[in-house]
Amino acid sequence: MRPRLSVDEYTKGILAGDRNTLSRAITITESRLKEDQILASAILQDILPYAGNALRIGITGVPGVGKSTFIEVLGKHITSLGKRVAVLAIDPSSKKSGGSILGDKTRMEKLAHDPMAFIRPSATGLSLGGVARSTRESMLLCEAAGYEVILIETVGVGQSETLVKGMTDFFLLLMLAGAGDELQGMKKGITEMADLIAINKCDGNNKAAAQKAMAEFRNALHLLPEPESGFSNPVVCCSAAEESGIAEIWEHVQRFHEITSENGFLKKNRQLQNLDWMQDSVRQMLEESFYDHPDIKRKLTAVKKAVAKGELLPAAAAQQLINLFVKRTI
């Protein structure tokens, strides 16, 4: 294990934009060690006044849509405009495999070598809540280090989209034409969450199909209620392979930022996200304290067996354990 720096050394390194110190600080926030959690909390509190100035963009999409290529091309476009970009990944599925996000730095080789960009694979072996917490904290650290745009990629499916929507300003959904019935095969909830839908791989023989899918999505969005943000969700075609349509997407993102900054939605949304983060933290800390409690550890195996055999109702078992936990912690 590498020796830990002091809180002041971490803070100064991050604020100076030192990538090595930033990486080490993110590793501290991902650690489960109690001493590291205390250190991480102190670092985050120190850098908090310098965070929050970046534009936070979540990106998700159907399997095979080419998220990594798209993110690399979008990232390169943003850095070409003189802005610093950080790419983070949220991958709840990594807990099962023990692996991380399919080697982001390998898949985004050009962006990884861009001095204006920073790429961080997702933490491994964490619970869904743990992944969300570490991603939020990594985002704050990157903002304090001077990154002006944070791109958060979802890898796992299902709840990860909701998690990313809950920690970003702008949510971009990548879709693919010619992969079955897009409208039937996609969850309505994800469509409603998206601030922009981009049909990727609009090139070659797939161009006509992509344009048809774009028209279908535009028609479908008319059935949805007007978004609270005040920004009418556009549907566009793009080709990450040919680097076409990327500038238009970035213009939409900037327009969204202008509108929501002016009408107050951006500020209000971030305030609500912070409150949700606090509530998630309370739940996670309570759960960790519960399962770490020595009396719970002693009782848990026997209670699980009784529930599995049908001798004890799950709700009654939970109440027994909670009563034991509360009694011992008051």
Side-chain angles (χ1 to χ4, degrees):
M1 185 183 293
R2 296 180 70 180
R4 302 304 190 225
L5 304 175
S6 68
V7 174
D8 190 52
E9 287 172 320
Y10 279 114
T11 302
K12 284 181 178 176
I14 291 165
L15 296 182
D18 182 73
R19 295 156 70 96
N20 181 50
T21 307
L22 173 61
S23 293
R24 292 178 68 178
I26 291 175
T27 300
I28 296 294
T29 65
E30 293 170 347
S31 172
R32 295 177 179 179
L33 296 174
K34 190 67 180 175
E35 56 268 34
D36 282 344
Q37 291 175 356
I38 294 169
L39 178 58
S41 181
I43 296 167
L44 288 162
Q45 192 60 49
D46 266 12
I47 61 92
L48 189 59
Y50 306 96
N53 296 318
L55 177 55
R56 304 165 179 175
I57 303 170
I59 301 175
T60 191
V62 296
V65 77
K67 281 199 302 288
S68 295
T69 306
F70 175 84
I71 289 172
E72 178 168 55
V73 174
L74 178 62
K76 289 294 291 180
H77 176 73
I78 296 169
T79 60
S80 74
L81 300 174
K83 293 183 180 292
R84 298 178 71 198
V85 178
V87 179
L88 306 174
I90 184 161
D91 184 9
S93 63
S94 64
K95 188 183 178 188
K96 296 177 183 176
S97 64
S100 113
I101 177 186
L102 310 176
D104 265 317
K105 292 189 177 180
T106 304
R107 293 184 295 138
M108 302 181 194
E109 195 171 349
K110 290 179 183 176
L111 192 60
H113 288 93
D114 190 326
M116 298 282 282
F118 175 82
I119 300 175
R120 179 74 180 196
S122 82
T124 60
L126 295 179
S127 65
L128 191 66
V131 171
R133 183 190 65 197
S134 68
T135 305
R136 284 182 176 117
E137 292 173 348
S138 298
M139 181 173 66
L140 294 179
L141 292 169
C142 288
E143 290 177 345
Y147 290 93
E148 300 155 276
V149 179
I150 313 292
L151 302 179
I152 302 181
E153 176 187 8
T154 67
V155 179
V157 293
Q159 286 178 287
S160 59
E161 283 88 0
T162 306
L163 286 174
V164 171
K165 173 68 175 177
M167 64 178 74
T168 54
D169 305 316
F170 188 91
F171 193 61
L172 193 156
L173 174 63
L174 284 175
M175 292 300 292
L176 195 62
D181 188 345
E182 290 84 11
L183 296 178
Q184 291 296 324
M186 192 179 69
K187 294 179 183 176
K188 182 185 175 187
I190 298 175
T191 315
E192 292 176 338
M193 286 193 293
D195 297 300
L196 181 145
I197 296 175
I199 315 296
N200 193 24
K201 302 188 179 180
C202 182
D203 46 46
N205 295 331
N206 200 46
K207 195 164 188 176
Q211 290 173 338
K212 182 179 178 227
M214 178 176 69
E216 289 174 351
F217 274 112
R218 283 178 176 172
N219 289 333
L221 288 179
H222 287 306
L223 304 174
L224 298 178
E226 194 70 24
E228 189 186 346
S229 65
F231 179 79
S232 57
N233 307 8
V235 182
V236 300
C237 276
C238 68
S239 169
E242 294 183 352
E243 301 186 12
S244 62
I246 304 300
E248 180 191 356
I249 288 172
W250 179 242
E251 286 170 10
H252 282 303
V253 174
Q254 289 182 301
R255 181 66 182 143
F256 172 90
H257 188 251
E258 289 170 9
I259 290 171
T260 55
S261 295
E262 289 172 6
N263 65 19
F265 176 81
L266 183 69
K267 182 179 179 181
K268 178 186 172 185
N269 190 46
R270 285 203 178 181
Q271 289 172 342
L272 291 173
Q273 287 176 349
N274 283 337
L275 292 174
D276 284 342
W277 185 1
M278 181 191 74
Q279 290 169 342
D280 288 344
S281 298
V282 168
R283 281 192 289 269
Q284 189 171 355
M285 288 175 186
L286 279 173
E287 186 176 346
E288 288 172 355
S289 297
F290 178 83
Y291 285 111
D292 283 342
H293 198 284
D295 288 344
I296 298 299
K297 286 180 178 178
R298 278 193 293 270
K299 187 81 173 173
L300 190 59
T301 303
V303 171
K304 278 184 173 181
K305 284 182 181 178
V307 171
K309 289 179 180 178
E311 298 169 355
L312 187 61
L313 284 170
Q319 192 62 61
Q320 278 186 22
L321 293 170
I322 287 170
N323 290 343
L324 182 63
F325 175 71
V326 171
K327 188 190 298 182
R328 295 297 184 183
T329 52
I330 289 178

